[in-house]
Amino acid sequence: MSEREEQVRVNQSLAWVGTATALMGVLDVATKAVLLAIWISPEEYGVATLALAAIPILDLATELGLPGALVQQGDHTPARLSTVFWLNLLLSLTIVAAIFFAVAPLLASHYQAPIVGWMLQAHCVKLLLQNLYMVPGALMIRELRFREFSLIRFLASVAENVALLVAAPLVGIWCFIAGAIGRTLVTTAGVQYFQPWLPQLLFDWPATREAVLFGLKTSLSRILFFVYTGLDFYIVGHFFGRAALGLYKAAADLALDPARIISTVVVSVAFPAFSRARDRPAALAEQFLKLSRLSFIVVAGFLVIVVPAAPDLLLLLDERWVRAAAAVRVLAIAALLRAVSAVVPPLLDGVGRPSLTLTYMAVAAVTMPLWFAIAAILLGGWLGYASVAWAWVIGYPVAFWVLLRFALRHLQLGVGRYVRALLRLFLWTGLAIAAGAGVRALMEGAVPLPLVRALVTAGVSMGTFLAALVLAEGITPRSVSAALKPPPRDAGPPIE
């Protein structure tokens, strides 16, 4: 496969994953809005967050990064694949035991909320079920079969949202457990349909040892990521209470979570793309810059809508949620940095340097919780729970700089070239947000309906952002279409 054909395949994968994620995002936002507007109060949402914030860490702990090792390394035998499955299953059983006898009782006791422990224990069903799709799913990703994988993810999202809406009026916050199990069941069925695979009674440790070591480093990195991106919830709950945590989580839902999900579109394709280009330094550096810009653009395209329209979007739910608007705007700043930083770990992992990612994550996992706690103690009396949001703005740039230096040094890429690739995008994002905020200020008091204000504000912000991309960056529907078209079969090699 030529570099041009490989780039087109990456672009097509991004298109499929992006389309599926956009549809999933619309479903998730609509469902979450219904839940918070009708059935779940800020205090109840805070209680659910105390249980759910630890779930990504537990999910990653059960797999030990072994599926990622299958993506990064292409030599797979039946014995090796089966060994990965049995190791994952053993880890799952170990984690489940730890949840039942240690983690769940500890959290329930600390926050004086038994339901937190019960929800964590119920989530163990999902931890065990996901073993059935990890290995075949990794094989699909390795082959860049994102068309089928995106369809599976979309159908799984539909199942999750249906389960949430059906369960919420019946069991309250337990609906989040029902949704997670529904998503897992559909994902398992879909992956097994497109990539049928079952383990054999084989165990080949020598052939799998290298994958385990690689997976250990990458999984520890991702676990540490969710540690430092999830501890802010527990710190808010500890210092400011459950209702404040519910509001903070709503702010994160609008700013940080969509940014993370959207950037996952790029990251899910970036890892196999970087793995394939690891022996071509020039192509690797160019791919890194393109994916960094793309991750920033897709996240910024969402934030230019959310930031200026946040008060009206929250008011559409209920007046109780409007107080989260200030935290939304602060967290949006961190979301932009997290969008571009999300491309670096798959780069380092893809080129076989997961130890660098682990070093960064270890630094961030130590420093960011300290920032959260210090901000809550020093600024909490003045800013309330929003002080923890400001800790993201103050502390995360330091951690990001450590990560970026690792990437630029490996790529032999100058800081100036990297900054130039992103600087104008920051400017267009600020311009779009300012335009939307200005229009909303003019409508304040004159337009009584929050839905109208939100739609007009979002339209102005997004219109400004798209106009900047077209006029200044040359990103048009035609250029996007051209990037997705494969080269002619009889095309000669590119002229150097």
Side-chain angles (χ1 to χ4, degrees):
M1 183 185 298
S2 68
E3 288 189 22
R4 165 62 178 159
E5 290 173 328
E6 185 171 284
Q7 180 61 55
V8 169
R9 194 170 181 182
V10 170
N11 293 342
Q12 291 173 337
S13 299
L14 285 168
W16 279 108
V17 178
T19 301
T21 303
L23 294 174
M24 290 161 54
V26 172
L27 283 175
D28 291 346
V29 169
T31 299
K32 187 69 67 66
V34 173
L35 295 179
L36 300 185
I38 301 176
W39 292 300
I40 297 177
S41 68
E43 184 170 356
E44 290 173 326
Y45 201 36
V47 171
T49 301
L50 291 174
L52 301 176
I55 285 176
I57 300 173
L58 300 174
D59 286 347
L60 290 171
T62 60
E63 65 179 58
L64 201 65
L66 293 176
L70 296 181
V71 175
Q72 200 267 350
Q73 301 170 357
D75 182 20
H76 304 311
T77 62
R80 191 178 192 185
L81 296 177
S82 296
T83 303
V84 168
F85 172 84
W86 296 119
L87 286 173
N88 273 339
L89 182 60
L90 178 61
L91 283 168
S92 298
L93 294 172
T94 304
I95 295 298
V96 166
I99 291 172
F100 265 85
F101 299 109
V103 178
L106 180 63
L107 285 177
S109 174
H110 179 76
Y111 291 101
Q112 299 181 346
I115 192 174
V116 171
W118 299 335
M119 290 180 70
L120 271 174
Q121 290 168 341
H123 183 73
C124 292
V125 175
K126 188 257 185 187
L127 295 180
L128 295 174
L129 286 174
Q130 67 187 18
N131 287 286
L132 297 175
Y133 69 78
M134 281 186 179
V135 171
L139 296 178
M140 292 180 68
I141 293 174
R142 170 69 189 181
E143 298 167 6
L144 294 179
R145 294 172 58 191
F146 284 100
R147 180 176 181 176
E148 298 96 329
F149 204 73
S150 297
L151 175 61
I152 294 169
R153 291 177 66 238
F154 174 71
L155 293 177
S157 178
V158 172
E160 178 181 27
N161 284 283
V162 169
L164 286 168
L165 293 174
V166 171
L170 300 175
V171 295
I173 58 176
W174 282 94
C175 66
F176 295 110
I177 300 299
I181 294 175
R183 174 187 284 269
T184 304
L185 289 173
V186 174
T187 301
T188 299
V191 170
Q192 287 290 347
Y193 176 81
F194 286 107
Q195 181 74 43
W197 184 87
L198 291 174
Q200 302 177 31
L201 293 176
L202 300 173
F203 196 91
D204 188 352
W205 170 250
T208 315
R209 180 177 178 273
E210 183 179 353
V212 171
L213 294 177
F214 177 88
L216 181 61
K217 293 178 182 178
T218 58
S219 66
L220 284 177
S221 297
R222 296 175 66 196
I223 289 172
L224 289 173
F225 169 79
F226 281 105
V227 166
Y228 81 78
T229 59
L231 278 179
D232 55 340
F233 297 124
Y234 292 105
I235 289 175
V236 171
H238 176 76
F239 282 97
F240 305 106
R242 300 173 191 173
L245 175 57
L247 293 171
Y248 182 85
K249 181 61 166 66
D253 288 341
L254 268 181
L256 290 180
D257 276 6
R260 175 183 57 81
I261 294 170
I262 293 171
S263 63
T264 300
V265 175
V266 180
V267 171
S268 61
V269 179
F271 180 46
F274 290 143
S275 297
R276 289 170 176 267
R278 60 187 300 180
D279 297 323
R280 292 174 277 129
L284 190 64
E286 192 64 28
Q287 190 79 270
F288 174 72
L289 291 176
K290 287 181 179 179
L291 291 176
S292 296
R293 283 173 53 86
L294 181 58
S295 183
F296 185 96
I297 288 171
V298 294
V299 171
F302 178 82
L303 292 178
V304 297
I305 295 175
V306 167
V307 172
D312 295 319
L313 293 173
L314 292 166
L315 187 58
L316 290 173
L317 303 180
D318 190 85
E319 290 185 358
R320 297 173 297 176
W321 300 99
V322 177
R323 290 176 292 164
V328 170
R329 290 167 172 167
V330 177
L331 291 173
I333 302 173
L336 288 173
L337 286 178
R338 283 175 56 172
V340 291
S341 69
V343 182
V344 183
L347 166 70
L348 297 176
D349 294 347
V351 300
R353 300 295 301 277
S355 58
L356 295 179
T357 305
L358 180 58
T359 300
Y360 155 72
M361 293 297 181
V363 171
V366 172
T367 58
M368 289 307 302
L370 288 176
W371 281 109
F372 298 149
I374 291 171
I377 294 170
L378 298 182
L379 304 177
W382 174 35
L383 298 174
Y385 67 88
S387 59
V388 179
W390 277 108
W392 274 108
V393 177
I394 298 170
Y396 191 70
V398 178
F400 171 61
W401 177 246
V402 174
L403 179 66
L404 182 62
R405 289 298 296 172
F406 288 151
L408 298 183
R409 186 179 298 117
H410 181 85
L411 294 172
Q412 296 184 341
L413 190 65
V415 176
R417 185 182 174 191
Y418 178 81
V419 171
R420 287 193 299 272
L422 295 173
L423 180 60
R424 291 191 304 184
L425 297 179
F426 273 100
L427 295 177
W428 309 145
T429 302
L431 177 63
I433 291 175
V439 169
R440 186 187 180 279
L442 293 174
M443 290 189 294
E444 189 79 43
V447 180
L449 296 177
L451 178 59
V452 174
R453 292 198 302 267
L455 290 175
V456 173
T457 301
V460 170
S461 297
M462 179 55 74
T464 304
F465 187 65
L466 292 177
L469 293 181
V470 171
L471 297 176
E473 305 298 329
I475 300 176
T476 64
R478 178 177 294 181
S479 68
V480 173
S481 176
L484 297 175
K485 292 180 180 178
R489 290 293 182 183
D490 58 349
I495 299 175
E496 298 292 340

